[in-house]
Amino acid sequence: MSSDTPGGPGPRLDTAPLDEGAAQDLLRGICFKTGPPRIVGVELEWLIHDREHPAVPVDGDRLDSAVAALRELPLSAELTFEPGGQLELSSQPAGSLMECVETTAADLAAVRGSLGRAGLAPVGLGVDPWQTPHRRLREPRYDAMEAALDRAGPAGRAMMCTSASVQVCLDAGEEEPGPLGYGRRWQLTHLLGAVLVAAFANSPFRQGRRTGWKSTRQSLWADLDPVRTLAPGGGLPPREAWTSHVLDTTVMCVRREDGPWDVPEGLTFREWIRTGAPRPPVQADLDYHITTLFPPVRPRGHLELRMIDAQSGADGWLVPLAVATALFDDPEAAETVYRTVKPLAESAGSAAAPRNPLWTTAAREGLADPELRAAAVVCFETALTALDRMGASEAVRNTVAAFNDRYVARGRCPADDLLRPGALAGLSLLTDSPDGPANGPAAPPHSGRVTSA
């Protein structure tokens, strides 16, 4: 692993220090790389459970053996693991929605097959409904992250070890104003994002108890850190807003070549540059610092939409991917949806997402909220029309339409299928069987075998 890799041991000590002006220039240059939207990607996180006894933790040796087998697979996507053992597949940038769907589906089929031979299954829920946080990965990055996030309470460990998501990655957009302009798309992400939280909320339980949230995962992210999980505020243009946010957010850790990493308290990256203590920061430190910021939308040249719960079912993951891509990258759809969600700004108020009233309501109530339901209905109808124009396959369009009919049109979200923790022991709502969520009303929860999630 390179010393400049985010999880690596730290930069070379002879690297030139970074000054404040250079840091600002780097951030403005790399955060929004503009051009006509054409590239799409997806990052899928999965909880790993025993197929027969999903409420029982998977033994460490057994999981290690399954992971070793997964690493031998010839996957297109990058395979990584989260601190609690969650599996993550990060697709390669694709030139179209269908390319992304097809390559990711092939990778998932291989992953499911390999896990199945070990008696395991990937489970698509935003938060593990049974397990307490238990960190399996012992690395300096996660030691430091745990220490830093513990200062704000228990949400950090829960996020690290028991949460899973679907992250959609889209181009930042065009330099010029208009429906595909990066400024418009940036604004849209923080209003449409609340609609996506509500529509795909899929985590009503934690540690065997109902939490009172449709998306417990989103509530955990909101509690994670006073600043680190917020969208930039201040009403500045996107580049300036993100640059200020990055520099004025506290440093999670200072990497070392040897020994434990420093975990300073209250030291912003701007102050680190100005003081040069405990050592002068370099560009690799700025790159790493960005990876420790967890806003609902993170600009990394492209836009990472990070607010969507992991989805159950064999093809549940492709619905948020297809819907988000259609609504952002089809010009007609982008214009329609922008007009639809713009009034939501009044409900959001002046506070930054995800801690404003709009995002809180989305996470707590899902589509039971009338305003969010009305917006979601328009968004999904618009997406279905756009997917046809974009050349999405009939299978993709049918999967989105089935989700729309089952949930959005009825003012429901996937969390509404999860009636009680005990019913999850059979995971009947997470299967790819004919009775699964993508193909019609749910069968009554029952004890049984997991096919896949």
Side-chain angles (χ1 to χ4, degrees):
M1 183 177 288
S2 164
S3 63
D4 286 344
T5 300
R12 292 168 52 91
L13 296 179
D14 58 356
T15 306
L18 186 68
D19 63 43
E20 193 168 341
Q24 292 172 333
D25 290 343
L26 284 168
L27 288 167
R28 294 190 185 105
I30 65 177
C31 58
F32 295 92
K33 295 181 180 178
T34 54
R38 63 183 185 87
I39 302 298
V40 59
V42 68
E43 299 177 15
L44 304 178
E45 296 173 346
W46 304 89
L47 308 169
I48 304 299
H49 285 280
D50 185 279
R51 290 165 63 96
E52 300 286 354
H53 306 286
V56 178
V58 178
D59 176 79
D61 291 340
R62 184 182 177 198
L63 184 61
D64 289 344
S65 178
V67 167
L70 288 172
R71 295 196 186 280
E72 297 299 317
L73 297 175
L75 302 176
S76 169
E78 180 182 1
L79 175 71
T80 55
F81 292 88
E82 296 298 309
Q86 309 97 304
L87 179 154
E88 180 174 345
L89 285 176
S90 302
S91 76
Q92 299 298 319
S96 69
L97 170 64
M98 286 310 304
E99 179 187 340
C100 186
V101 167
E102 290 166 0
T103 57
T104 302
D107 285 341
L108 279 173
V111 166
R112 287 192 177 103
S114 181
L115 288 174
R117 289 187 287 276
L120 303 175
V123 174
L125 290 169
V127 170
D128 192 305
W130 301 289
Q131 307 306 327
T132 57
H134 171 66
R135 185 156 61 93
R136 297 178 182 270
L137 298 185
R138 296 293 167 182
E139 300 175 1
R141 169 182 171 87
Y142 297 123
D143 292 343
M145 181 181 293
E146 184 176 272
L149 296 181
D150 276 352
R151 292 168 179 157
R157 295 193 184 203
M159 176 277 292
M160 291 172 64
C161 301
T162 63
S163 69
S165 69
V166 174
Q167 297 182 19
V168 180
C169 300
L170 302 169
D171 279 330
E174 299 174 341
E175 190 71 29
E176 297 76 16
L180 299 184
Y182 81 95
R184 170 78 69 85
R185 286 160 75 87
W186 180 245
Q187 183 181 7
L188 181 60
T189 60
H190 293 94
L191 295 176
L192 177 58
V195 179
L196 298 178
V197 168
F200 296 110
N202 193 31
S203 51
F205 297 107
R206 181 166 176 252
Q207 297 182 31
R209 298 180 180 180
R210 186 176 291 277
T211 63
W213 298 82
K214 298 293 179 70
S215 177
T216 300
R217 175 184 171 274
Q218 188 59 53
S219 75
L220 290 172
W221 281 94
D223 289 342
L224 194 65
D225 182 276
V227 178
R228 194 172 308 280
T229 59
L230 293 182
L236 297 172
R239 286 191 177 97
E240 286 69 24
W242 179 246
T243 296
S244 295
H245 182 70
V246 171
L247 295 180
D248 293 328
T249 299
T250 56
V251 173
M252 178 175 283
C253 52
V254 177
R255 294 179 295 166
R256 295 289 188 185
E257 291 192 358
D258 299 302
W261 295 358
D262 294 333
V263 185
E265 186 168 5
L267 177 69
T268 69
F269 200 91
R270 194 186 303 275
E271 291 167 341
W272 187 14
I273 291 174
R274 291 176 177 178
T275 63
R279 61 164 175 79
V282 299
Q283 181 177 341
D285 292 311
L286 179 61
D287 296 338
Y288 179 83
H289 176 59
I290 293 171
T291 73
T292 69
L293 306 184
F294 311 124
V297 183
R298 186 164 63 183
R300 302 288 300 278
H302 58 277
L303 301 178
E304 294 177 349
L305 278 62
R306 304 171 52 85
M307 73 289 293
I308 302 168
D309 279 1
Q311 297 296 293
S312 55
D315 50 13
W317 60 273
L318 72 78
V319 179
L321 169 62
V323 169
T325 304
L327 296 182
F328 278 92
D329 287 2
D330 179 85
E332 185 176 338
E335 184 63 35
T336 298
V337 171
Y338 179 73
R339 292 197 302 268
T340 299
V341 302
K342 191 175 181 180
L344 296 178
E346 184 174 346
S347 297
S350 59
R355 294 212 191 102
N356 63 43
L358 176 66
W359 281 67
T360 300
T361 298
R364 188 182 296 278
E365 300 184 21
L367 294 187
D369 177 76
E371 186 178 34
L372 287 165
R373 176 183 179 177
V377 166
V378 175
C379 289
F380 272 74
E381 291 174 349
T382 301
L384 283 165
T385 302
L387 287 169
D388 193 26
R389 287 194 297 266
M390 296 170 68
S393 70
E394 182 179 3
V396 168
R397 288 183 279 116
N398 286 346
T399 300
V400 175
F403 186 98
N404 182 53
D405 292 343
R406 179 181 179 80
Y407 297 116
V408 179
R410 302 181 186 183
R412 302 175 70 249
C413 62
D416 294 319
D417 281 343
L418 308 178
L419 304 179
R420 60 190 187 279
L424 293 170
L427 289 183
S428 59
L429 297 176
L430 306 179
T431 70
D432 56 3
S433 70
D435 292 327
N439 297 293
H446 61 277
S447 295
R449 180 174 178 174
V450 180
T451 56
S452 68

